[in-house]
Amino acid sequence: MDKVEKMKQEKQYEQYVKQKTPVHNVYVDMAKAFITGGIICTIGQFIYNYCELQNLSKDECSGWTSMLLVLLSVILTGINLYPKIAKWGGAGALVPITGFANSVASPAIEYKKEGQVFGIGCKIFTIAGPVILYGIFTSWILGFVYWIYKLL
């Protein structure tokens, strides 16, 4: 293969990549994430305010809000609606607690056909597992550093 032919192939490949690569507008993506996250937080605030109207303590209101947002996320994941919301809203749907619930429920739903143990049991934390692992590890390290600092 000579040099001219190789350059022609490289140019064709660059053109192919440019054609297949999606174009993103960062400002539109940020607006979508803001709207999506805002809607999720507004739903959470409605739940919290309703719990306050029922004369629950702040801790109970927080617990019910978290549980109901997780439940809503899992239900929406089960009917294949949350992935569409996440695709449109990006980080606005993936960062709150609802995104974490979705990351646990999605593999469970996907692998249920392989059975309770080898399907759901083995695959449920494929996405959320690293988050849990590194979250616990990081908090342990920070706690250890804090403990050492207090000893000095």
Side-chain angles (χ1 to χ4, degrees):
M1 190 182 312
D2 64 338
K3 206 173 199 179
V4 175
E5 193 174 318
K6 188 174 182 177
M7 287 177 64
K8 187 177 177 182
Q9 281 183 340
E10 287 177 6
K11 199 165 218 132
Q12 285 176 338
Y13 181 72
E14 284 178 31
Q15 195 174 25
Y16 172 77
V17 168
K18 208 179 263 190
Q19 179 186 6
K20 292 293 182 181
T21 304
V23 179
H24 296 284
N25 183 334
V26 71
Y27 299 109
V28 171
D29 289 347
M30 288 188 326
K32 288 179 178 180
F34 180 79
I35 291 167
T36 305
I39 290 170
I40 292 170
C41 291
T42 302
I43 292 169
Q45 191 64 51
F46 278 126
I47 295 169
Y48 188 89
N49 291 347
Y50 179 77
C51 290
E52 280 186 330
L53 288 175
Q54 302 303 312
N55 295 320
L56 298 176
S57 70
K58 288 186 176 195
D59 286 340
E60 291 172 323
C61 291
S62 298
W64 275 104
T65 302
S66 296
M67 285 188 296
L68 289 174
L69 283 173
V70 166
L71 176 65
L72 182 62
S73 173
V74 170
I75 290 170
L76 291 175
T77 300
I79 61 174
N80 202 27
L81 188 59
Y82 201 88
K84 293 174 186 171
I85 294 169
K87 184 175 182 180
W88 187 84
L94 298 175
V95 171
I97 192 170
T98 54
F100 186 74
N102 171 261
S103 71
V104 173
S106 292
I109 292 167
E110 184 177 343
Y111 292 104
K112 73 179 180 180
K113 63 185 169 283
E114 294 180 24
Q116 295 290 320
V117 176
F118 292 114
I120 296 172
C122 292
K123 302 291 186 176
I124 194 165
F125 291 113
T126 53
I127 297 172
V131 175
I132 295 168
L133 171 71
Y134 291 115
I136 291 171
F137 182 72
T138 302
S139 55
W140 185 87
I141 292 292
L142 291 174
F144 185 72
V145 169
Y146 180 74
W147 178 68
I148 295 292
Y149 176 76
K150 284 293 195 180
L151 288 176
L152 301 176

